[in-house]
C-alpha cells in the first residue's frame, strides 16, 4: 500500500505554485503521512495531495500510506507510539483527547497565532483542547434532514421550520401509509444524531455541550423534556420499524423506494441516494426545525490532519498542513468531483452543488448556537458508547426511559471524575 | 572436570534429551501464553487507556464488574451459549448415525452435511442474518404462516436475539460433531454389535448400551470442542448483531473486546478484568478435561 511519489511532476495539474509564501525555505528529506482516507474518492484526493506536494518540493520525498478508515480508529495508537509518521488523519474535538493527553499530537498553536493558517478562524474552536490547537481540519459536512421532494409535493407539504409543522407534516406522511423517517440504528451512532438535534433544539447548544462535558445530570428535567419531544415522533410511528437490525446503508432503500420520506443524516448520504437512482428533483434538504426558542446548534463533523509529536520532519509536516488548508487546495479537494464536502478555509469557494450550497449557507448564517462535532465525538468515548446504546433502547422501548436515564447517570458519575 | 561433566551428560541423557526437544516449545508457550496471562492479571488492577500512565486501582475494576449490568447480561448469555451449544452433540450423533450407511452417493451427502463447518463463521453469520431479516427474511415469512410475529425480527428483539445467534452457531458445530462421530463409528467393533444383536438388543437399547460406550472418546472430544467453542463465540455476535440490540447479545469475550480494543473502548484494565473472569470460567472446564484425560490414561495403563 505504500506509495512513494518521486517527481511525478505534472501528474495532476498543479494546484499551485503559490502556497508557502513565508516558509519558502527548501524542504528536504522524507515526509511520511498515514491517512485513513481509504474510500475510493478520498483516496484519490489524498494521493493527489501527496503527489502535488512532492512535486512542489524537489528535495522532499512524500510517502503516503493509506489505511482502512475503520481499522485506523484502533491502529492510530500503535502508529503514533512506535516509529511514528509525520502527519496523520484523525477527528476534531474530544476525539483528540486521548492523544493530546498522552502527548502524541504536536501543539501547533503558534501556527494559528503566527498567521500561518489564514482563513481558519471559524474552525479553530474544533481543534482546541486545553486552550491550544492540535491540528488542522481539511473537510467538514453538514447534518440535516434529507427528504423526498416528490413525496412532499404529492402530499402538498412544505419544508417545516418548527417542530409543530414537522409533526403536522409527519402526521400526513403516516396517513399516506409511509413512515416519516428512515434510520438504521444497528451501529448506534445514527440514534446519536437524533439525540443531538432533539437536545440542541429543545435546550440549546450550550446545554448540549454541558451535558457532553458531564456538567449536567442525565436525570435532569431538561433532558427528560428532550426525550419527551422525541417520544412524540416515536409514538406517532414516525420511524421505520425494526430499525435496530439495519445499518445506516441498509436503511437507505426505505427512502429510495418511497416507504419513508426523510432521513436525518450527514451530507455523505447524497451520493448514495443519487447512485440509487434518485434525481436531484426527488431529493432536497432542510435544516432541523426549531423546537424551543433557542439559537440553532448544528452537527458538522470535521476531519483533520495532525502532526505526530514524534515526527522526524516537523518542518515539512507544518508546510503540508498549510498546503492542505490553503484556499485553492480546499476548493479543489472539497469539490463535488473530490470529497463533495465543505471547505474549511473561509477564502475557499464551495462547489456549485444544491446540497453543499444549502449546507454552507446554513452553517455560515443559521447556526448561531454553535457547531457541534457529533454525539460520539463530543462526548467522551465511553460515555458515547453507553449513551448511544441507551438512545437505541429508547427508540425501541420508549417506556424504559427512567431505567435508561438512571443507567446513563450512574455512568456519568463514574466516567467524568 | 570435562570428563566428569561428560559422564554426567551421558548418565542423564534419558532426561536431558526430551527436555532439550521440549525447550523451544516451552519457551514459546511461556512467551505467548503463560506470561500474557499473568500480565492480564496485573493490568486488571490498573486503570489504563493503553497510552498514558497506568494508575493502580487495586480491585476496583472487579468491584465495578459486580455492579455492571452489561457484564451480568454477558455472563448469562455465556451460560445460555454453554448449555444450548451442547445440543450440537446429540444432533451431530444422530446425523452421523443416519449417514453411517452404505448407500450410493453417501460420500456426497456427508460432505454436504459437513459443508457448514468448512465455510467461514462470517459467512454463516451473514447467511443467518439474512434468514432472520424482519419482513423479507425466510424465517419471518415461515413464522408468519404459523401466526408468530417476532417483534423487531429475531435479531432485533432482545428476547430472541441471543437464541437466534446460538442457532446459527449450532449449524457448523453440529457438522463438526457429526464428523467426530462418523470417524468414531468406523471404529465400532462389529463383533460386539453382532453379540448384542444375538442377545436381542436393538434400537435405543443397542445404541445406549453397545454403540455409545464405544463412542466415548468421540463424545469426549465433542464435549471439549463444543464447550470451548461456546466460550469463544465472538465472530457470529460481531457479524450478526454487533452485541446489540442495546447490548443484549454480548458475551464475555465480546464485552472484553469492546471495553479494551474497540472504537469506544481502550479501558485496558477493565477489559483485562473481564478477561480474567473468562479465564477462570474456562480454566474450570479445562481443568476438568485434563483431569479426566489423565484419569483415563492411568486406567488404560493399568
Amino acid at each position: 500500500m505504500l506509495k512513494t511519489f518521486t517527481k511525478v511532476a505534472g501528474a495532476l495539474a498543479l494546484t499551485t505554485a503559490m502556497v508557502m509564501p513565508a516558509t519558502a525555505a527548501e524542504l528536504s528529506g522524507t515526509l511520511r503521512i498515514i491517512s485513513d482516507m481509504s474510500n475510493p474518492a478520498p483516496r484519490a484526493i489524498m494521493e493527489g495531495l501527496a503527489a502535488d506536494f512532492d512535486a512542489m518540493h524537489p528535495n522532499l520525498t512524500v510517502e503516503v500510506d493509506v489505511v482502512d478508515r475503520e481499522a485506523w480508529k484502533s491502529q492510530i495508537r500503535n502508529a503514533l507510539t512506535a516509529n511514528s509518521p509525520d502527519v496523520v488523519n484523525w477527528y476534531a474535538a474530544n476525539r483528540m483527547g486521548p492523544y493530546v493527553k498522552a502527548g502524541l499530537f504536536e501543539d501547533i498553536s503558534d501556527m494559528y497565532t503566527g498567521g500561518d493558517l489564514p482563513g481558519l478562524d471559524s474552525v479553530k474552536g474544533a481543534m482546541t483542547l486545553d486552550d491550544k490547537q492540535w491540528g488542522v481540519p481539511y473537510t467538514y459536512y453538514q447534518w440535516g434532514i434529507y427528504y423526498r421532494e416528490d413525496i412532499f409535493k404529492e402530499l402538498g407539504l412544505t419544508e417545516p421550520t418548527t417542530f409543530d409543522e414537522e409533526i403536522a407534516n409527519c402526521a400526513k406522511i403516516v396517513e399516506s401509509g409511509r413512515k416519516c423517517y428512515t434510520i438504521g440504528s444497528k451501529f448506534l451512532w445514527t440514534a446519536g444524531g437524533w439525540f443531538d438535534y432533539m437536545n440542541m433544539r429543545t435546550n440549546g447548544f450550550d446545554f448540549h455541550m454541558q451535558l457532553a462535558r458531564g456538567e449536567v445530570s442525565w436525570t435532569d428535567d431538561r433532558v427528560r423534556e428532550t426525550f419527551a419531544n422525541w417520544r412524540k415522533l416515536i409514538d406517532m410511528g414516525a420511524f421505520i420499524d425494526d430499525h435496530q437490525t439495519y445499518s445506516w446503508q441498509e436503511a437507505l432503500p426505505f427512502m429510495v423506494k418511497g416507504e419513508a420520506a426523510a432521513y436525518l443524516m450527514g451530507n455523505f448520504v447524497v451520493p448514495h441516494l443519487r447512485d440509487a437512482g434518485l434525481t436531484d428533483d426527488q431529493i432536497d434538504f432542510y435544516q432541523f426545525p426549531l423546537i424551543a426558542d433557542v439559537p440553532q446548534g448544528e452537527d458538522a463533523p470535521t476531519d483533520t490532519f495532525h502532526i505526530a509529536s514524534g515526527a522526524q520532519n516537523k518542518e515539512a509536516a507544518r508546510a503540508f498542513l498549510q498546503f492542505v488548508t490553503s484556499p485553492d487546495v480546499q476548493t479543489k479537494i472539497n469539490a463535488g468531483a473530490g470529497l463533495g464536502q465543505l471547505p474549511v478555509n473561509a477564502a475557499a469557494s464551495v462547489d456549485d452543488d444544491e446540497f453543499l450550497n444549502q449546507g454552507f449557507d446554513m452553517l455560515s448564517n443559521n447556526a448561531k448556537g454553535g457547531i457541534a462535532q457529533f454525539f460520539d465525538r463530543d462526548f467522551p468515548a465511553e460515555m458515547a458508547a453507553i449513551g448511544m446504546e441507551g438512545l437505541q433502547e429508547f427508540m425501541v422501548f420508549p417506556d424504559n426511559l427512567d431505567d435508561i436515564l438512571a443507567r446513563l447517570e450512574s455512568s456519568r458519575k463514574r466516567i467524568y471524575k | 572436570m570435562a570428563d566428569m561433566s561428560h559422564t554426567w551428560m551421558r548418565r542423564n541423557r534419558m532426561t536431558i534429551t526430551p527436555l532439550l526437544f521440549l525447550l523451544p516449545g516451552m519457551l514459546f508457550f511461556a512467551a505467548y501464553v503463560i506470561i500474557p496471562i499473568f500480565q492480564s492479571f496485573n493490568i486488571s488492577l490498573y486503570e489504563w487507556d493503553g497510552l498514558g500512565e497506568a494508575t493502580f486501582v487495586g480491585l476496583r475494576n472487579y468491584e465495578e464488574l459486580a455492579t455492571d449490568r452489561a457484564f451480568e447480561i454477558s455472563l448469562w448469555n455465556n451460560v445460555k451459549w454453554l448449555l444450548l451449544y451442547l445440543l450440537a452433540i446429540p444432533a451431530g450423533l444422530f446425523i452421523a448415525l443416519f449417514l453411517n450407511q452404505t448407500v450410493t452417493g453417501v460420500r456426497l451427502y456427508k460432505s454436504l452435511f459437513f459443508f457448514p463447518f468448512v465455510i467461514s463463521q462470517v459467512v454463516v453469520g451473514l447467511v443467518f442474518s439474512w434468514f432472520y431479516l424482519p419482513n423479507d427474511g425466510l424465517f419471518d415469512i415461515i413464522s408468519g404462516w404459523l401466526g408468530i410475529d417476532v417483534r423487531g425480527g429475531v435479531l432485533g428483539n432482545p428476547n430472541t436475539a441471543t437464541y437466534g445467534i446460538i442457532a446459527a452457531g449450532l449449524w457448523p458445530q453440529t457438522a463438526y460433531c457429526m464428523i467426530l462421530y462418523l470417524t468414531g463409528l468406523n471404529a465400532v467393533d462389529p463383533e460386539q454389535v453382532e453379540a448384542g444383536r444375538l442377545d436381542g438388543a436393538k434400537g435405543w437399547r443397542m445404541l445406549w448400551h453397545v454403540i455409545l460406550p464405544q463412542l466415548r472418546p468421540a463424545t469426549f472430544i465433542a464435549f471439549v470442542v463444543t464447550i470451548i467453542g461456546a466460550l469463544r463465540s465472538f465472530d457470529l455476535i460481531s457479524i450478526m448483531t454487533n452485541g446489540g440490540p442495546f447490548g443484549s447479545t454480548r458475551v464475555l469475550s465480546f464485552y472484553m473486546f469492546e471495553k479494551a480494543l474497540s472504537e469506544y473502548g481502550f479501558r485496558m484494565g477493565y477489559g483485562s478484568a473481564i478477561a480474567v473472569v473468562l479465564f477462570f470460567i474456562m480454566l474450570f472446564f479445562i481443568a476438568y478435561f485434563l483431569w479426566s484425560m489423565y484419569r483415563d490414561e492411568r486406567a488404560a495403563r493399568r
Side-chain angles (χ1 to χ4, degrees), chain A residues 83-99:
Chain A
N83 184 23
S84 84
D86 300 304
V87 173
V88 295
N89 276 132
W90 195 237
Y91 307 98
N94 231 321
R95 273 291 182 94
M96 303 188 294
Y99 309 96

Side-chain angles (χ1 to χ4, degrees), chain A residues 261-323:
Chain A
Y263 206 167
L264 175 69
M265 217 0 105
N267 194 57
F268 54 81
V269 74
V270 172
H272 290 268
L273 293 174
R274 284 177 179 154
D275 288 348
L278 295 179
T279 64
D280 282 11
D281 294 335
Q282 288 175 292
I283 30 177
D284 205 348
F285 171 85
Y286 64 87
Q287 184 172 17
F288 199 95
L290 288 169
I291 299 179
D293 183 23
V294 288
Q296 287 122 306
E298 288 294 327
D299 270 339
T302 307
D303 293 350
T304 56
F305 277 106
H306 302 269
I307 303 178
S309 55
Q312 299 296 313
N313 198 345
K314 287 185 185 170
E315 205 189 336
R318 281 167 175 253
F320 182 76
L321 262 46
Q322 271 183 304
F323 171 69

